[in-house]
Amino acid sequence: RIYRKTTIHIYYQKQMKIHVGQGERPLFTDNHEIGTIKFTFPPLPRGEITVRIELSTDQNGVLKIHVSDNLGNNSVEHTFESISTVLTLEEIIKMKQTAEEMRHQDELLLQKAHLLNDIESRVYEIEKRCKELDNQMDADYKADVRDFLESIHAVIKQRDFTLEQLEEFKDSTEQ
């Protein structure tokens, strides 16, 4: 059994589409797609819903996925028959070779993704804190913070950055 929890980070999101795949690469598009599951939940503010995904297989290769939210309101279960999860030996060998060849690039990609998530979370916390303290900040300080956040949003939006640039942005959000 494999468990994974994810917290919803989009305000008032109502549903998520869970892509189920087979493979060893960090990007879903680099793996074999088995299928998708749609999961709906009540629209709440960011961070208030956590979704738990549980995967299990039986001795016949049947994959079962159970998805539920932390509110206990919604859950869905889906079964993927073994025919959709079976790859040929050649396909498995090729996928493993590709994963090994791409290991370094994949590690960099994961590091970037984790840093980007940290930065986005910190930006969210800074924005939240600024709203709470809005009346206590002088105009010049507000302008500086706004400019700082706009510059980070611009970089995040373009998605064209090096690992070093992301580390610098992360450090700047900690100050």
Side-chain angles (χ1 to χ4, degrees), residues 103-119:
R103 178 170 292 177
H104 179 69
Q105 291 91 329
D106 288 347
E107 286 172 0
L108 286 175
L109 183 70
L110 282 174
Q111 285 178 327
K112 282 183 175 182
H114 289 299
L115 279 170
L116 187 58
N117 285 341
D118 287 347
I119 291 166

Side-chain angles (χ1 to χ4, degrees), residues 17-33:
K17 189 176 191 179
I18 302 165
H19 295 270
V20 181
Q22 183 175 6
E24 299 185 27
R25 303 283 306 281
L27 279 182
F28 181 80
T29 56
D30 294 330
N31 294 294
H32 171 72
E33 181 173 355

